Amino acid sequence: MGEFDNKEREEVFSKKVRAGKRTYFFDVKATRSGDYYLTVTESKKRLEDGVFVKHKIFLYKEDFEKFTEGLNETVDYIKSHQDVVEKRYEYTENGEHSPKTTDDFSF
């Protein structure tokens, strides 16, 4: 059996995005046949017990175009109907974060 026999595939590329109380992971992985796919994971610490709750979606290359179209259309709708302000956060060495009030940007 090969190196890809386990459920977790080899990561080819990974991008971590901290956004307030959530962290998003964009991971490119390879199938057994070498085709790339994307996993998007949202991770958020539960306040009650400190456990990280994760939600994951898998996006395959044949769906990239339709997914991107749907996402862009949805984001454009929100932007055209409400003000969207992206908050910038500073992270300390202990992982705590606080919003930076001077670096807020509108889309």
Side-chain angles (χ1 to χ4, degrees):
M1 298 281 165
E3 64 184 86
F4 293 114
D5 289 337
N6 59 7
K7 280 189 159 183
E8 282 298 315
R9 303 287 182 213
E10 178 183 349
E11 283 189 13
V12 177
F13 175 83
S14 187
K15 175 70 178 174
K16 177 180 178 179
V17 177
R18 289 186 175 175
K21 296 179 180 181
R22 293 177 181 84
T23 302
Y24 298 97
F25 299 90
F26 299 91
D27 299 313
V28 177
K29 297 183 180 186
T31 64
R32 289 183 183 147
S33 63
D35 287 333
Y36 291 166
Y37 64 96
L38 170 68
T39 63
V40 180
T41 306
E42 174 205 41
S43 178
K44 183 178 178 184
K45 187 185 269 188
R46 225 175 12 211
L47 295 176
E48 309 86 66
D49 54 10
V51 171
F52 285 94
V53 178
K54 296 181 180 182
H55 299 95
K56 185 179 284 196
I57 64 166
F58 292 80
L59 185 61
Y60 297 93
K61 64 184 183 180
E62 61 268 18
D63 301 327
F64 287 173
E65 190 66 33
K66 292 291 185 183
F67 183 89
T68 303
E69 287 174 11
L71 179 61
N72 287 336
E73 184 178 334
T74 305
V75 169
D76 289 344
Y77 176 87
I78 293 169
K79 287 179 181 180
S80 69
H81 289 83
Q82 292 184 340
D83 290 334
V84 177
V85 176
E86 181 179 340
K87 293 183 181 178
R88 301 289 181 180
Y89 294 86
E90 284 187 356
Y91 291 87
T92 61
E93 289 182 18
N94 66 1
E96 295 295 318
H97 60 273
S98 60
K100 288 177 70 176
T101 55
T102 58
D103 284 346
D104 285 358
F105 299 99
S106 294
F107 278 69

